[in-house]
């Protein structure tokens, strides 16, 4: 088993029972401890979890501790870690109008309280990152929330949570997970860009990064690898959610690599080149018409495809034809400063050279076809 | 003519000759001076322009001054202003691989030089804002540009332009105009959020804001009024491009209000409530099967619909049923701080109240139906 | 109450408990008899239902009859009818791979059997139309089903059902309801066009039409009013599902008129002009953050907006400015035959007149702006 | 060079000069005779063309014959054929409101005449298929055309053209090419399904099939391989346009296989299994930032990727693990009749077995992962 890739799976991913808006579950619930064991056997580095994945809503206090201890023992036995912890602020009906941005102040307060409890849990389990996905932070009715008020409340909540975590002595960093819509008509902080900007307005921006998800950026038709690129450029890629999704559809959360292999390749190549060392988290689930065997095929497939794409990226960059094509496209030249101390008048004078500069080609057809051929394994 | 709304039209909007990817022009070019005159008669406050709209590429130096003086005289005579100036960094074939982010360093230098010349022009015409739309800053081929390099070059260019403008003594502020795709497969800074974040990385973030466009955010299916809301919240709405667009389609640039009347209403209501005082710029054009009469109907329609929506927003907010519905939805309560100095343990204890908080409704159906009925003029 | 519009609501629409993929129900289930009563008070003409809406899966035989009799009595008392009946072939986990097109032949047989039972129920309740929505007839995995086999099985099932219904002496016509995706990755018969074609391959095409739904065509970004137009042109509009939806999103089923008012106006105007006399069925539900009061506001709103749009359509067509604009756009001329017996050589000679024909405009900006102003109630 | 795949390229594809809505051409026009020669060297079977690709609009009569003769000689010398001919009914400004469905009857007549002339040309060149793409047959303004009138005129035109072609003694079949939008806001016959239905309403449906294009179905987010499947099922796949496109974007016409490799694989596998023997037409063009070398890389890449995918399809179907997975998914069972003469009561009784039928899984994760691994060349 390669150890360099720290693959993780949410308890809710392999444990997904196959419920959807049009039908009930098709699979039995999984005991988290069984999931840990099986994922360890398949070569995963760790797991992630919502508070309610582990401790069902309404579990009395004393039982909670036993549940946590039992999971911890299972993780220790399997030699596995916790990539991230998070809180479920979307399932309970009280969150139907939002959590941190519910119009009801009492709901907002309880939401912050629930997140604090989940931070306690994450800290206890040694989670590296605490993810905040604001799935209900939005609206279907434009007049129901002033977006400026909503962002103000969102900021207040995030600042309080970071303060709380630091006060408890936790080292966890936070990661915001953007999504454009579903389950709300429009969700606040819809893309990686909106989240990156929001973070700059926080009291402790250093503690908060993003958790981009393939499916979420792709729903809006945005380039996932460009979004991840902007996060890396800003040193804000604290976590990543890998899966498969078609543009302009319901949230599909398919097996990583099952959709858009070339974009998946670009993402993997970027992560590898950037030396991203955080968890590679598969936030996905098996097709609803599969049984438990299919669930483990799904988990195996996510990891196998990531490894195959990482190998393809290496093959690509080592290929002399590719190197020639990259040079023909002047790819490295984009890394060079444009101005180099020259003064404005010099630059203005160079405008007259534009007609001559139009002649060259950039060899992009060849470069992309080489990527396709590497991907297809025919070179 | 109401004077409170400063409506502007780009020279390229009413002057659009009706060319598209599948057919040539259907209308004669317009003389900018004629456009100014006619727009003034129709009640527009001013115009906006690309450098090349006014001064065709290749015009010799001495003639340029005459052209500028002639436009200035026409503006003065009509009592009109220049809302924004910008530079065309997408039409010339040398920009086929990008301008500030072309892989060819010489192209990048000429692009910065061309923008500097356009800043000179904008300053001379008294433009309030200098817009940068990076239509060619992107790629179809993921391996052709490292997105981190591209953003680095983009930043270098923007910093240089702001420096240059300040050094010339101009008071113009800058506004970045995001767009997700077209004419490139994927464009860097695809949404308002990505641009807002990028601005925080600049040397002089105070000088740079955003110019959101209905069509551009809508192409990606994002809520335009939420995007504008985040820009206003950040004090970064320096300019706005109003038009009409269907989600998930080619860049349509239809007449403002011709698509999604309810979202248009939300945008206008937000602008009015926020006291936005900048130019209201219609970046749109007449349908290709219309003649010159249709062009002026188009311009008249943009302004008429904005005014009708502003009036509807006033009617909405003054309606006692609406006020009741806003209260039932607790809309104002979202403006109140959530925590108010309470300590974490208090908030954590309130989690146990969630079940009781789930009972209430938020009256969103009624509130939205009231908006629809105000919009339809039946209340 | 106007009687000319026969508004209907599915039991599952007002009865929708607010469950979604990320959260449980927020409203109590409704007793179908209470729904009937309340809908009657609000002015609905009738209801529609799935077999399982009325008779929960697993109800023993003798109880079924009592349930049906109780509903029938409630309908009679309210003076209401049944617009359509259908069968739920998507909720039971056995249908996870499809119903008529499941790869498992035993599932396909049971699916046809269940539809036959539902036909019995529909016949007993006097339903006008029997709708078939094949929500699970699709796949996420392209190699899992040959689409030709799937269509063959779909045809076999539809032929069997029509035969069965006629053999039982029912007068119900059938209507296929297309949808592009969700809950399956891709659904067979994704649009009105695919369904209209499929119908022409059936043994009794005269008995089968379509049931287009706003949300379903709109998810794919298609013009709903063009789809309805093609169905009307083919005399195949046997039923219609009205609701609200944004392009490129999860299946939203919002209140009719809550999204894209202009397209909604085009649809209503087309239905009114075509003299469509079938049920106007609202297949939608209240926002999840609303309580039961919101449900009835939702139902009232659907009907109120339809009536307001029908009134706007009348106002539009009666407006002298509109009539002038329609003439300027040569709208009626599209109704005139093009050739009129002329021979090919005559037509070929007319090609040389194209340059002259390019000069005229079609006044589309004015025409559309008039529609917007009628819609906004400012004319 | 394999001979079994008859690859063709439109003259306008390799000849595309790189113009787009935001910039002028970046490449010189190509002489059709040079294109023929070069395509022949690269292994293409033939070409396709619009009338105006070969004979520029306005060319005097006598010169036209010389141009045609010159092309014919070049084709003969290269041993190449003409896959399809078509007519350009979108470029001339007279078609700005439509061609067969323009509101102006004189335009409609000239459009039919122009198509007749193009049929003459196609017949002379021995084209197998005559394609009709109605790019301008649509509208941006819903009130400007009654869709029923438009379809009636469309039918009249198609009937006249088929009659004309048969009367001239041509053996060409016709193929309708659907597209949802661009250059019009909404185009009539937006998908393969709508076109297949429309064909059933024609006087000679046997003479008319469809020409599905990857980009066009994909713009609407529809499964291309399902659309092609329905066309094959109906014996109506007369021609096919292969290229690359992202969902929900402007018409991209990228190199075949450059987007969505898995869907491309499904399409190729379906074509190969169905024994489709018509032209495999690449309706695409090189990236705008490429020069002429890039154009030939583009053409080479289209064919290379098709061949690689065809080889992958063979490898997939020959793999014993795949065969096992196909059996586990009961793929062949979908080819078996469902009912087999059983009576309704038997089928109705089988409904009670549904609970038991829910237990099995369909092994779809494994099946799809095998497809991914075959595609990636790792099995």
């Amino acid at each position: 088993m390669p150890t360099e890739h720290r693959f993780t799976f949410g308890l809710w991913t392999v444990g997904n029972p196959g419920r959807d808006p049009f039908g009930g579950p098709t699979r039995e619930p999984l005991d988290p401890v069984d999931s840990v064991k099986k994922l360890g056997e398949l070569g995963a580095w760790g797991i992630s979890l919502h508070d309610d994945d582990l401790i069902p809503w309404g579990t009395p206090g004393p039982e909670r501790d036993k549940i946590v201890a039992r999971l911890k023992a299972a993780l220790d036995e399997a030699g596995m870690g916790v990539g991230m912890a998070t809180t479920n602020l979307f399932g309970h009906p009280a969150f139907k109008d939002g959590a941190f941005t519910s119009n009801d102040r009492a709901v907002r307060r309880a939401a912050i309280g629930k997140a604090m409890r989940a931070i306690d849990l994450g800290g206890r389990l040694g989670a590296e990152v605490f993810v905040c996905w604001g799935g209900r932070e939005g609206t279907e009715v434009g007049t129901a929330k002033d977006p400026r008020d909503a962002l103000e409340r969102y900021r207040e909540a995030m600042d309080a949570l970071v303060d709380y975590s630091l006060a408890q002595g936790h080292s966890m960093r936070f990661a915001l997970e953007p999504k454009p819509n579903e389950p709300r008509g429009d969700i606040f902080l819809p893309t990686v860009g909106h989240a990156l900007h929001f973070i700059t307005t926080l009291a402790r921006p250093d503690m908060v990064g993003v958790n981009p998800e393939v499916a979420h950026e792709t729903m809006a038709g945005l380039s996932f690898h460009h979004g991840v690129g902007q996060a890396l450029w800003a040193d804000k890629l604290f976590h990543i959610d890998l899966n498969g999704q078609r543009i302009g559809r319901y949230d599909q959360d398919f097996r990583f690599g099952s959709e858009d292999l070339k974009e998946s390749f670009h993402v993997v190549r970027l992560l590898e080149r950037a030396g991203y060392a955080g968890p590679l988290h598969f936030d996905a689930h098996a097709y609803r018409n599969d049984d438990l065997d299919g669930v483990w095929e799904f988990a195996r497939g996510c990891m196998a495809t990531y490894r195959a794409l990482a190998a393809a990226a290496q093959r690509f960059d080592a290929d002399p034809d590719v190197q020639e094509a990259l040079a023909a496209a002047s790819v490295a030249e984009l890394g060079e400063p444009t101005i180099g101390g020259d003064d404005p008048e010099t630059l203005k004078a160079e405008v007259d050279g534009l007609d001559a500069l139009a002649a060259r080609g950039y060899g992009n057809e060849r470069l992309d076809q080489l990527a396709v051929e590497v991907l297809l394994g025919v070179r």
Side-chain angles (χ1 to χ4, degrees), chain A residues 55-305:
Chain A
I55 306 170
W57 177 251
T59 304
E63 242 180 273
R64 291 182 211 163
D65 285 340
K66 278 187 228 156
I67 290 171
V68 176
R70 189 168 162 263
L71 180 77
K72 226 170 161 355
L75 287 166
D76 288 348
E77 197 181 313
M80 290 169 74
V82 173
M84 68 94 158
T86 181
T87 177
N88 181 327
L89 296 178
F90 45 88
H92 193 286
F95 298 128
K96 62 191 171 185
D97 186 57
F100 300 154
T101 66
S102 171
N103 282 6
D104 190 321
R105 185 171 176 262
V107 173
R108 298 200 297 268
R109 290 170 63 85
I112 294 173
K114 188 167 189 290
M116 286 169 168
R117 288 189 189 179
I119 288 169
D120 294 343
L121 174 64
R124 199 166 149 194
L125 289 168
E128 291 180 25
V129 179
F130 190 82
V131 164
C132 293
W133 174 59
R136 297 272 175 213
E137 317 296 2
T139 182
E140 293 76 39
V141 171
T143 50
K145 291 178 196 286
D146 189 312
R148 297 168 295 171
D149 288 340
L151 290 167
E152 200 61 35
R153 293 290 79 71
Y154 218 146
R155 173 159 65 178
E156 184 189 1
M158 288 306 304
D159 281 344
L161 296 183
V162 172
D163 269 1
Y164 176 75
S165 178
L166 292 172
Q168 305 304 308
H170 298 315
S171 59
M172 278 186 295
R173 296 194 299 176
F174 287 72
L176 285 164
E177 179 176 330
K179 190 177 183 186
N181 65 77
E182 195 191 349
R184 302 309 301 267
D186 287 293
I187 299 179
F188 300 115
L189 307 182
T191 77
V192 165
H194 296 79
L196 286 171
H197 166 252
F198 174 79
I199 291 165
T200 67
T201 72
L202 297 177
R204 288 291 307 263
D206 56 307
M207 289 300 296
V208 186
V210 288
N211 177 37
E213 174 168 326
V214 174
H216 297 179
E217 302 302 303
T218 304
M219 285 167 67
L222 302 177
S223 162
F224 188 65
H225 112 267
H226 282 187
V228 169
Q230 187 156 343
L232 285 167
W233 180 65
D235 263 332
K236 285 295 180 197
L237 190 70
F238 287 7
H239 197 266
I240 192 163
D241 277 359
L242 299 171
N243 52 22
Q245 171 76 30
R246 292 213 148 188
I247 295 172
R249 298 220 179 153
Y250 68 98
D251 190 12
Q252 301 186 303
D253 288 345
F254 289 153
R255 192 177 73 254
F256 178 62
S258 64
E259 299 292 338
D260 205 342
L261 277 169
K262 199 171 75 173
E263 182 71 10
S264 302
F265 167 76
H266 292 148
V267 171
V268 169
R269 181 168 173 258
L270 179 61
L271 292 172
E272 301 283 307
R273 285 160 59 96
Y276 170 76
L280 294 161
H281 180 239
F282 299 109
D283 185 4
H285 50 73
Y287 301 125
R288 187 174 176 269
N289 64 355
D290 253 302
D291 58 17
L292 191 57
D293 287 345
V295 169
W296 305 123
E297 289 293 333
F298 148 82
R300 190 179 283 124
C302 285
M303 295 185 284
T305 299

Side-chain angles (χ1 to χ4, degrees), chain A residues 318-336:
Chain A
D319 185 317
D321 287 347
V322 169
Q323 286 162 4
E324 193 186 287
L326 290 167
S330 305
V331 174
E333 198 173 315
L334 187 59
E336 296 168 19

Side-chain angles (χ1 to χ4, degrees), chain A residues 321-378:
Chain A
D321 287 347
V322 169
Q323 286 162 4
E324 193 186 287
L326 290 167
S330 305
V331 174
E333 198 173 315
L334 187 59
E336 296 168 19
T338 300
I339 300 177
D342 287 318
D343 69 7
E345 293 313 311
T346 307
L347 297 167
K348 284 159 77 172
E350 293 185 26
V351 178
D352 298 323
L354 275 172
D355 288 350
L357 290 167
R360 71 166 286 191
Y362 289 81
N364 274 210
E365 286 290 350
R366 186 176 178 225
L367 180 60
D368 195 65
Q369 181 64 19
L370 286 166
V372 168
E373 292 179 10
V374 166
L375 259 179
L376 293 180
V378 298

